[in-house]
Amino acid sequence: MSETIIGRNAVMEALKSDREIEKITIAKGSDGSVQKIAGKAKDKKIPIYYSDRSHMDKAAGSSNHQGVIAVVSNYKYCMTEDILARAAERGEDPFIIILDGLEDPHNLGAIMRTAECAGVHGIIIPKRRSVSVTDVVAKTSAGAVEYMLCARVPNIGNEIVKLQKAGLWIGAVDMDGETLTGSNLTGPVALVIGGEGSGVSRLVKERCDFCVSIPMKGRITSLNASNAAAVLMYEVVRQRGV
């Protein structure tokens, strides 16, 4: 699911081109253009690790890395239209999960696994400030990453409008929403699940058609993102009578 890029120019170009970068390793004590790379990576919230040059020589297979190594994803993302096409091919109402700012790769992997089992047609994630499909995601998904379509888009709000025009109802998962068992989740639907701790952003929530919540009876008032997603996905399955 990943490959290695070495050298200052190659890594900087990868950053400029918006390639899916999992992490960047920088040699301790590096300066000059490497610091510019580090700054751009921080702006994009890409994990940065610092290592001895001897360890980096082994990782790169040579000493030509110029003090910087990037691990990039070669996972093939799809378009939102591909997800809608899959639903059409199956003769089913579209069922999509939208993840707004999810950061933990274990959560994304677990969501992909449940989504595949629940008959979800695809997942949509943002390009910025969000986890991408990495080796950790692939491992956590238990193979579901090979079957579950995933679109990585510049703007979640714009994608919601596109889905609404295609006839889908968009529901934001929010504690102030109507309980999931009291919500109509049949028909063409996409559910928006927010990031760990932050939830669905205000701007995204305003674009949605309705809000839906999961009843909380205990002293802890929220579920892990992947657990919440699983509960919601199988409520859709239940209501569809599958």
Side-chain angles (χ1 to χ4, degrees):
M1 297 297 294
S2 61
E3 61 179 292
T4 299
I5 293 177
I6 65 172
R8 301 183 183 192
N9 290 337
V11 173
M12 180 58 83
E13 288 305 314
L15 284 165
K16 290 178 180 178
S17 68
D18 282 340
R19 283 201 68 178
E20 321 301 337
I21 300 177
E22 297 179 15
K23 66 177 181 178
I24 292 177
T25 302
I26 292 174
K28 294 177 181 177
S30 297
D31 54 16
S33 60
V34 174
Q35 292 307 310
K36 292 182 180 180
I37 289 171
K40 196 168 184 65
K42 287 178 181 177
D43 290 342
K44 292 191 168 188
K45 298 189 179 298
I46 296 169
I48 301 172
Y49 300 89
Y50 293 88
S51 179
D52 295 327
R53 285 185 178 272
S54 59
H55 293 155
M56 294 181 68
D57 291 347
K58 292 179 181 178
S62 73
S63 59
N64 297 327
H65 49 74
Q66 299 176 314
V68 59
I69 300 173
V71 177
V72 300
S73 174
N74 56 16
Y75 175 80
K76 301 301 181 184
Y77 293 96
C78 71
M79 304 291 288
T80 299
E81 290 78 5
D82 297 320
I83 298 175
L84 295 174
R86 171 170 286 185
E89 289 168 2
R90 294 180 179 176
E92 300 170 343
D93 286 329
F95 179 16
I96 298 172
I97 297 296
I98 301 173
L99 302 176
D100 180 27
L102 200 72
E103 297 182 349
D104 188 341
H106 295 92
N107 275 334
L108 178 55
I111 288 170
M112 281 189 153
R113 182 176 184 173
T114 305
E116 171 61 21
C117 294
V120 171
H121 299 112
I123 292 171
I124 298 174
I125 61 175
K127 284 186 175 180
R128 305 289 186 185
R129 297 176 176 81
S130 171
V131 65
S132 57
V133 178
T134 65
D135 289 338
V136 174
V137 172
K139 183 177 181 180
T140 308
S141 77
V145 71
E146 302 296 335
Y147 307 102
M148 178 53 52
L149 294 178
C150 182
R152 198 165 190 237
V153 301
N155 187 287
I156 289 293
N158 291 344
E159 249 17 65
I160 287 175
V161 172
K162 182 188 297 184
L163 292 173
Q164 288 168 329
K165 290 180 178 178
L168 278 77
W169 290 90
I170 317 298
V173 180
D174 186 80
M175 62 187 300
D176 295 327
E178 186 176 4
T179 61
L180 73 167
T181 53
S183 301
N184 184 356
L185 301 178
T186 60
V189 67
L191 298 176
V192 185
I193 298 168
E196 302 88 350
S198 59
V200 179
S201 66
R202 178 182 60 83
L203 292 176
V204 168
K205 192 187 303 182
E206 289 175 352
R207 294 284 181 93
C208 295
D209 299 302
F210 64 96
C211 291
V212 59
S213 66
I214 299 173
M216 295 291 163
K217 301 298 184 182
R219 296 181 181 179
I220 297 175
T221 58
S222 65
L223 289 173
N224 169 281
S226 61
N227 290 338
V231 171
L232 287 154
M233 283 186 268
Y234 272 95
E235 176 59 19
V236 174
V237 172
R238 185 190 72 80
Q239 290 194 21
R240 289 187 171 192
V242 178

